[in-house]
């Protein structure tokens, strides 16, 4: 390109993205394994009906985190729908196109798994006029969410432009870039920004509207059951604690996804390019998994108590070990 390459700061460099995403993924892997162990072995009887839904959600969160933070590590050039991967998947011959489809699918499955958790609580705890019909339609409802993911990912299989000309047009619509980007294997997913952004935003909005419905109905219906004395005060307290815990478990981690998605939409809509902000947005999105697991352990009382017991046991073991060493070598 006939322009003077700008100086490259640390935050806009590939090194920043790879170092932080690798570090976060390493910490997240340990955290996720501990979270899975908690779900499998420390879920109490009163949470048994939601146990495998939590396990399913945790599984897809892990898959999404590993895909972003280790396998792909996408270096994105928003507002153009282009970029190149920095992860290990490229070394095994997996195309950038396939990696993009994989990340979109895993993000969608993570969101749908969250819906499944709340639908399970809605079906188990709430009373409503169409309850019998809902038991028939609840599985088609979840299937419909999976089908709704298709308009987001399937067109990406067919909207990929001819790469050499698409890359020229991409570079023309961006400011002068560092030399390493021009030399990188940049892949242009699509030049139809309107469709891609609209389909992603529509899918995310649908998911959040469904979550809002389940949030509201679970809280109001549980309160109505207690006021009408269909359930005891203790049952109400247990149900409320579980519902509140699920809401906190979903809302806080999804902030780590919502902020980067919001920035991406703004970047495309206003044609704004800032590689530092884009890299920071990717790092922020990778925190979703850690936040989800930590919040799950903190807000669900059985998991929190089990974790505290483990910490106390570890401290006692450490103190006993130190006392033995003091006696031996003191």
């Amino acid at each position: 390109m006939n322009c003077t390459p700008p100086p490259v700061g640390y935050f806009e460099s590939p090194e920043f993205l790879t170092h932080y995403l690798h570090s976060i993924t390493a910490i997240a892997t340990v955290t996720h394994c501990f979270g899975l162990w908690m779900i499998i072995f420390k879920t109490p009887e009163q949470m048994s009906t939601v146990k495998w839904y939590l396990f399913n959600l945790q599984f897809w969160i892990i898959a999404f985190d590993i895909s972003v933070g280790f396998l792909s590590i996408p270096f994105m050039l928003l507002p153009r729908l282009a970029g190149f991967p920095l992860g290990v998947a490229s070394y095994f011959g997996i195309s950038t196109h396939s990696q993009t489809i994989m990340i979109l699918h895993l993000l969608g499955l993570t969101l749908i798994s969250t819906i499944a958790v709340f639908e399970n609580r809605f079906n188990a705890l709430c009373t409503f006029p169409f309850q019998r019909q809902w038991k028939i339609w609840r599985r088609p409802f979840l299937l419909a969410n999976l089908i709704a993911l298709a308009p987001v990912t399937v067109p990406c299989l067919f909207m990929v432009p001819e790469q050499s000309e698409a890359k020229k047009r991409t570079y023309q619509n961006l400011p002068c870039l560092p030399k390493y980007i021009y030399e990188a294997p940049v892949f242009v997913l699509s030049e139809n920004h309107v469709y891609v952004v609209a389909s992603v935003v529509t899918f995310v909005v649908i998911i959040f509207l469904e979550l809002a419905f389940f949030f509201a109905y679970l809280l109001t219906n549980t309160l109505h059951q207690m006021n009408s004395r269909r359930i005891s005060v203790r049952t109400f307290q247990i149900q409320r604690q579980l519902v509140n815990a699920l809401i906190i478990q979903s809302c806080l981690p999804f902030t780590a996804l919502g902020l980067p998605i919001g920035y991406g939409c703004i970047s495309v809509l206003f044609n704004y390019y800032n590689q530092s902000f884009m890299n920071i947005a990717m790092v922020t999105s990778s925190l979703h998994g850690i936040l989800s697991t930590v919040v799950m352990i903190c807000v669900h009382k059985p998991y929190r108590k089990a974790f505290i017991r483990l910490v106390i046991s570890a401290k006692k073991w450490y103190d006993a070990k130190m006392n033995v060493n003091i006696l031996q070598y003191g």
Side-chain angles (χ1 to χ4, degrees), residues 183-259:
E183 296 174 349
V186 172
F187 174 77
V188 181
L189 176 65
S190 174
E191 293 183 283
N192 187 347
H193 303 80
V194 175
Y195 177 83
V196 174
V197 173
S199 61
V200 171
V201 170
T202 300
F203 178 78
V204 171
V205 168
I206 289 172
I207 292 295
F208 276 91
L209 287 175
E210 291 176 0
L211 279 175
F213 169 78
F214 288 130
F215 286 171
Y217 210 98
L218 278 165
L219 291 174
T220 57
N221 192 263
T222 303
L223 184 61
H224 174 72
Q225 289 184 58
M226 190 197 72
N227 291 336
S228 60
R229 299 187 179 181
R230 295 180 186 176
I231 58 175
S232 65
V233 175
R234 172 158 179 76
T235 302
F236 168 75
Q237 293 291 343
I238 293 173
Q239 292 185 5
R240 189 184 67 175
Q241 288 174 4
L242 178 57
V243 171
N244 288 343
L246 289 173
I247 292 173
I248 297 171
Q249 182 185 349
S250 300
C251 290
L252 290 182
F254 273 119
T255 303
L257 286 179
L259 292 176

Side-chain angles (χ1 to χ4, degrees), residues 4-10 12 176-178 180:
T4 303
V8 180
Y10 179 63
E12 59 195 63
C176 192
L177 301 171
Y180 69 85

Side-chain angles (χ1 to χ4, degrees), residues 87-290:
V88 300
S90 298
Y91 296 103
F92 292 95
I94 301 175
S95 67
T96 304
H97 190 199
S98 298
Q99 293 180 49
T100 304
I101 300 297
M102 174 185 67
I103 290 175
L104 287 174
H105 261 101
L106 291 175
L107 174 59
L109 290 171
T110 301
L111 295 173
I112 293 169
S113 297
T114 306
I115 291 292
V117 172
F118 280 92
E119 188 283 326
N120 170 267
R121 295 295 82 203
F122 170 76
N123 181 67
L125 302 180
C126 293
T127 57
F128 43 93
F130 54 96
Q131 197 158 10
R132 182 175 297 180
Q133 291 83 353
W134 182 252
K135 292 185 182 298
I136 299 173
W137 286 101
R138 57 191 301 254
R139 295 188 186 281
F141 164 77
L142 294 174
L143 179 61
N145 278 285
L146 289 172
I147 294 173
L149 183 58
V152 178
T153 57
V154 172
C156 295
L157 297 171
F158 309 105
M159 296 175 65
V160 178
E162 196 280 320
Q163 289 297 295
S164 60
E165 292 300 318
K167 283 194 281 188
K168 289 180 182 178
R169 289 189 290 270
T170 295
Y171 295 147
Q172 289 170 359
N173 286 282
L174 290 173
C176 192
L177 301 171
K179 184 179 178 181
Y180 69 85
I181 294 181
Y182 297 122
E183 296 174 349
V186 172
F187 174 77
V188 181
L189 176 65
S190 174
E191 293 183 283
N192 187 347
H193 303 80
V194 175
Y195 177 83
V196 174
V197 173
S199 61
V200 171
V201 170
T202 300
F203 178 78
V204 171
V205 168
I206 289 172
I207 292 295
F208 276 91
L209 287 175
E210 291 176 0
L211 279 175
F213 169 78
F214 288 130
F215 286 171
Y217 210 98
L218 278 165
L219 291 174
T220 57
N221 192 263
T222 303
L223 184 61
H224 174 72
Q225 289 184 58
M226 190 197 72
N227 291 336
S228 60
R229 299 187 179 181
R230 295 180 186 176
I231 58 175
S232 65
V233 175
R234 172 158 179 76
T235 302
F236 168 75
Q237 293 291 343
I238 293 173
Q239 292 185 5
R240 189 184 67 175
Q241 288 174 4
L242 178 57
V243 171
N244 288 343
L246 289 173
I247 292 173
I248 297 171
Q249 182 185 349
S250 300
C251 290
L252 290 182
F254 273 119
T255 303
L257 286 179
L259 292 176
I261 291 174
Y263 170 75
C265 292
I266 292 171
S267 174
V268 172
L269 290 173
F270 292 94
N271 196 34
Y272 176 70
Y273 173 79
N274 188 310
Q275 196 60 54
S276 296
F277 286 0
M278 189 65 249
N279 289 352
I280 292 171
M282 290 302 303
V283 171
T284 303
S285 69
S286 69
L287 294 172
H288 164 259
I290 293 178

